[in-house]
Amino acid sequence: LAKTTQPISMDSYEGQEVNITCSHNNIATNDYITWYQQFPSQGPRFIIQGYKTKVTNEVASLFIPADRKSSTLSLPRVSLSDTAVYYCLLGFQKLVFGTGTRLLVSP
Amino acid sequence: DAMVIQNPRYQVTQFGKPVTLSCSQTLNHNVMYWYQQKSSQAPKLLFHYYDKDFNNEADTPDNFQSRRPNTSFCFLDIRSPGLGDAAMYLCATSRGTRGEGYEQYFGPGTRLTVT
């Protein structure tokens, strides 16, 4: 299975845009890219999924370049409640969680 | 309304005493998964069921078993819990395992303590 690499942690302030990049050099042709958010003592929650180009939903955008070797989760105008761990996953038949990025949003 | 329900939320068991964790879903999804998540680590897939077909991960210890008696319910059995099995156990469901729409819906987890 292809491996993902994310920054271990990021800091931001309320109202800022946060971009978390995930590297996946060995992504397989069939792999989709999925991002999950996890709060302490809760199960992960699906944020967004994409295959190529750009995907946007009500909470985030996902940017995927043409070579698909990386992806960027963009969170517009973060709030304190966005403090969480964010996981980038690749998968077609099953998902493997990487180490995740711990985002801390401060006032 | 809760879609993936796990009971209990907290479970304490003794070293070597069998324990069962339960998961139910109201989504009518075909696939149900069990993950183990230890403190400050990412969730690790133990196994999953696609309908009645059981799919075990190669590195899942034999101590962990699962049952899925019907679409809605799935159980995780730990036959002889060791101290190293203390963790959060997460149940998840998905409609399928291929392609778009593969997102998983997670329950709140059961935190297992082994004394």
Side-chain angles (χ1 to χ4, degrees):
Chain A
L1 288 174
K3 183 180 177 181
T4 60
T5 303
Q6 302 174 234
I8 294 175
S9 64
M10 295 182 68
D11 295 322
S12 184
Y13 293 97
E14 282 189 294
Q16 290 189 335
E17 178 184 74
V18 171
N19 296 308
I20 306 174
T21 296
C22 179
S23 297
H24 30 79
N25 292 321
N26 296 320
I27 187 169
T29 302
N30 293 334
D31 279 345
Y32 280 76
I33 301 160
T34 313
W35 286 80
Y36 285 82
Q37 175 194 56
Q38 187 176 27
F39 298 112
S41 298
Q42 294 187 25
R45 184 175 72 102
F46 171 84
I47 301 174
I48 197 165
Q49 183 184 69
Y51 184 80
K52 61 180 178 180
T53 64
K54 177 184 174 182
V55 180
T56 298
N57 62 22
E58 62 275 10
V59 298
S61 294
L62 178 59
F63 298 92
I64 306 169
D67 66 6
R68 301 196 338 117
K69 293 185 183 299
S70 67
S71 58
T72 299
L73 174 72
S74 181
L75 304 172
R77 298 180 298 281
V78 295
S79 63
L80 298 178
S81 62
D82 292 318
T83 293
V85 178
Y86 292 82
Y87 292 100
C88 161
L89 291 87
L90 305 180
F92 183 63
Q93 288 188 294
K94 64 180 181 182
L95 302 178
V96 176
F97 282 81
T99 54
T101 297
R102 193 172 298 273
L103 173 66
L104 175 63
V105 180
S106 301
Chain B
D1 292 334
M3 297 181 289
V4 182
I5 303 159
Q6 292 189 245
N7 285 306
R9 293 294 311 278
Y10 300 91
Q11 176 74 56
V12 180
T13 191
Q14 293 178 337
F15 182 93
K17 184 175 181 180
V19 66
T20 295
L21 309 182
S22 72
C23 176
S24 63
Q25 55 135 338
T26 60
L27 297 163
N28 202 34
H29 281 173
N30 295 316
V31 192
M32 295 187 76
Y33 309 80
W34 281 103
Y35 290 84
Q36 179 193 63
Q37 186 173 27
K38 296 187 176 181
S39 182
S40 300
Q41 295 183 20
K44 179 179 179 296
L45 181 63
L46 296 174
F47 27 58
H48 75 275
Y49 272 95
Y50 195 122
D51 291 331
K52 295 182 179 180
D53 293 332
F54 178 69
N55 298 272
N56 197 28
E57 292 302 300
D59 57 353
T60 298
D62 292 339
N63 199 27
F64 292 87
Q65 304 286 322
S66 186
R67 297 170 283 135
R68 188 178 185 187
N70 54 52
T71 300
S72 300
F73 285 87
C74 196
F75 300 97
L76 170 62
D77 301 308
I78 308 176
R79 293 191 296 187
S80 182
L83 298 179
D85 296 327
M88 175 78 84
Y89 289 88
L90 296 163
C91 175
T93 73
S94 67
R95 285 185 288 138
T97 59
R98 293 180 178 269
E100 196 168 6
Y102 180 52
E103 61 265 27
Q104 296 184 17
Y105 294 80
F106 284 81
T110 294
R111 184 167 297 282
L112 178 69
T113 300
V114 182
T115 61

